[in-house]
Amino acid sequence: MAAGFFISKSVGIVAIVLGLGAVATIIALSVVYAQEKNKGTGPGNAETTTAASSTTTASTTTAASNTTAASTTTAASSTTATANNPWNRWRLPTTLMPESYEVTLQPFLTPDANNMYIFRGNSSVVFVCKEATNLILIHSNKLNYTMQGSFLVSLEAVDGSGAPHISQTWLESPTQYLVVQLDGQLQKGQRYRLFSIFTGELADDLAGFYRSEYMDESGKTKVVATTQMQAADARKAFPCFDEPAMKANFTVTLIHPSDHKAISNMPVSSTQQMMGNSGWNITTFQTTPKMSTYLLAFIVSQFDYVENTSEKVLIRIWGRPKAIAEGQGSYALKVTGPILTFFEMNYDMPYPLPKSDQVGLPDFNAGAMENWGLVTYRENSLLFDNAYSSIGNKERVVTVIAHELAHQWFGNLVTLQWWNDLWLNEGFASYVEYLGADSAESSWNIKDLMVLNEVYRVMATDALATSHPLSFREEEINTPAQISEVFDSISYSKGASVLRMLSDFLTEDVFREGLQTYIKTFAYGNTKYTDLWQHLQQAVEKNNVTLPRSISDIMDTWTLQMGFPVVTVNTLNGTISQKHFLLDPNSKVDRPSPFDYVWIVPVTWMTNKAMGDRYWLTKVSDTNDAFKMDSTSWLLVNLNVSGYFRVNYNQENWDRLLAQLSTNHQVIPVINRAQIIDDAFNLARAKYINVTLALSTTRFLSRETEYMPWEAALDSLQYFQLMFDRSEVFGVMTKYIQQQVTPLFNHYKNSTGNWSIIPEGLMDQYNEINAISTACSYGIAECQNLATDYYLRWRQNVNNNPIPPNLRSSIYCSIVATGGEEAWNFIWDRFRAATVVSEADKLRTALSCSREPWILNRYLQYTLDPKKIRKQDATATINSIASNVVGQSLAWDFIRGNWKTLFSQYGGGSFSFSRLILSVTQRFSTEFELQQLQQFKEDNQDVGFGSGTRALEQALERTRANINWVNENKQTVLAWFQEETATPTP
């Protein structure tokens, strides 16, 4: 018998399917499961577990017990619910602490007689009693239990002494507990074992132990059993103490079809054929180190892999056999070793496990998940095909791999105590992913992209009065939906931005030194964010780094209050001041701040004559004589945007910076050319400067060929597009953008030999994409003709796509936008036939570029059909349609009409609801749209908004701000564009 099966003196060996009576058991239990799944188990119709229940019985093979009745139940509490009961609270009591689990699971990869996919399992958990108690609470969600005598579980003391008898067991569904009441006390310091047998649905809901499907080359549907436990779904796979601080060792056994492979966090310990049934194998894995439940993973599939070894660590990249055979795992395999080596040096600690499996899944809700030793990904975040994938796909793969591998130490080895500090886990990985990716692709200068991808992207949200601090109080985050809501851009991108700022003012070496002692001190344990501050402070003192205050004092101003400052410098008198930056200056900030919205700000600066020393702004305002400039000098603050703040100047300094851009823009560092544009547009939205000053920062772009300034401008002008593409302003705005982008389009047309040569660097390739995308979407005839020519050549031979991979997203969109129904159907057919997921993503997104309302409405309906659009892609597809001016109102109507369906299909905890709400409301700028949004909120209070709750409040705030901004600026903007396009600029 394989190790990992629980052997109990009282219950015997309860194998899942060992022996000849097994098939009857499975059939009976799946029937029961189907019945029970549809049965209400709330307090109104509670079954107590001490009552006889009329469930189907099935024989279960046991070694030391004559019991043959195995009734399955989803019993719920018969106790009146009151908030005072421990099982009505969301957090586990600290009376019990798990030490080890033995979990055995058997997924069935074909539907049963009720057309359901199920899995069966048993689990034993050994826990130590920290404080005498007569109650065991353990998480359980959507599992049906096989009765052991009269109870859902059995209990024994580990050392053979007596354990209290169970008096009652039930499932408390609202708080997702299995409750065990005892007739006596568990003794402090004593270890106990809790054993359960259960059945669950292997659903396609992308959570817990779930089912993913794909078609093989012959058109046959293949089923994969896989997992996604973060944040609170391990309890859907087996009963467990499902909180990150409840670390334990796990021994996993999978019973799987013998023609399938089984993998888990650790290497295989043993595999054997099932006794009496050659169709099944029993695979047991080595016991894990001490770890959190949310990092557990196991997969049963017919995937293939490519492998190599890096410093004694086995690396395997898994995926669909066809994808692996085509070499789509090669790039991930090439970069994983160097990235692991980089992080081993960065943390000064070897990779903690013997192997690193990385798996590309056809269906996956997040981008990737850092399960320890078994990282799971969406296919487009792991697999790369040179013939189909763009440079953007390549960057996505290397940065996501680096993000997840960073977690193997920071997050997995050392884990945050509770989800209120999620920002440190995800913010850290979002920062160092750029360092890890840079180690694998050193020619890309990828670290510079943090400013665009993280800093500026999150500032748009963090400048709202409805934003939130990085760190919540622990008691603010309790329910699974509240936990999911914390997985937002503030945690990821603001977390990354402030850690980058911290590393910059400490220096990377000092930051790394503090990080290394932190990791070593807390390995296999749990921490709070303040623990990292203490270790960084020790490194500061050891290296004699001069700071105005302690790291804790400085960083608390960035983590315990929301938002960020705008730093204003007056070069006439040298004054410098700060103020909480709000996009809507009329918005009311209800959330109090312990620092009254004052930050301790590290200020880097230069002039056209010299570089300055770092200056610290520690109060609301101050004076620094070094900031006084004469009439021939300009001041530039926040070099390379290392600080998380915006910068405003007196008009004279703005004028000198604009003059510098118009005469020789390259004197100003490239990141700061982007900064000038991005800060100016946001300052204009917040009424700090005139909107015409912001627009003037784009004049020099007709001579600019660098990616970052162009990307900052296009991002900033996108707000103008969203506000005005339904009004007369957009006509002249289009003329202006055509005027500015034509030189860039011609630059790349010439330098690439008429689009036949790929530019060298990452940034250059990205700006070529910008040139094509902007020229085509703003109607430059030469670009649209290029797209049409590509389309006609492709139609002549559908198996030979002539469009370069980098340009496909832009060209596909142009084809759909200008080609009517015929082009849409052609691209749809290519999407249905696509075997490379990055190619399918480009085609799927391009289908939303149609200008035909009926086509877009039909496409919206397709998102409700998983046979047409995968569940994982549904919300992204709706978002794409909403970004199209023709599709925006259609998407909004669709969301309002189908909210209940979408919410029930994806569950309130799905991460995608916040993005969905923000996308469909991003153009809202009228009182009528505000009323509709308020009505939507009222109409769906009963359904709720799950992880989109805060996003809905932010959408309301954004809409109010948009209304005011359009009313105040429309005529000024119209006049500026008219003036700029009336006479060509010299």
Side-chain angles (χ1 to χ4, degrees), residues 699-712:
R699 283 194 181 119
F700 82 99
L701 290 174
S702 58
R703 296 179 303 283
E704 177 66 87
T705 57
E706 289 284 352
Y707 168 68
M708 291 190 69
W710 262 105
E711 185 63 18

Side-chain angles (χ1 to χ4, degrees), residues 301 325 499 604 714 728 901 981:
S301 73
L499 289 169
T604 53
L714 292 172
E728 61 182 317
T901 304
T981 53

Side-chain angles (χ1 to χ4, degrees), residues 253-273:
T253 297
L254 293 175
I255 299 177
H256 56 96
S258 51
D259 60 348
H260 283 58
K261 303 177 185 83
I263 51 176
S264 187
N265 304 78
M266 295 295 286
V268 171
S269 169
S270 68
T271 299
Q272 64 187 66
Q273 204 174 81

Side-chain angles (χ1 to χ4, degrees), residues 6 44 84 160 214 239 267 302 323 459 490 769 860 913 927 934 938:
F6 162 60
N84 295 326
Y214 65 95
Q302 290 185 308
M459 277 182 166
I490 298 290
I769 295 166
L860 283 164
F913 279 116
E927 290 290 347
Q934 289 167 328
E938 287 171 29

Side-chain angles (χ1 to χ4, degrees), residues 320 323-324 326-331 382-385 835-837:
R320 291 174 292 108
I324 295 300
E326 289 173 349
Q328 292 182 38
S330 300
Y331 180 65
L382 183 71
L383 304 182
F384 178 84
D385 187 303
T835 57
V836 177
V837 71

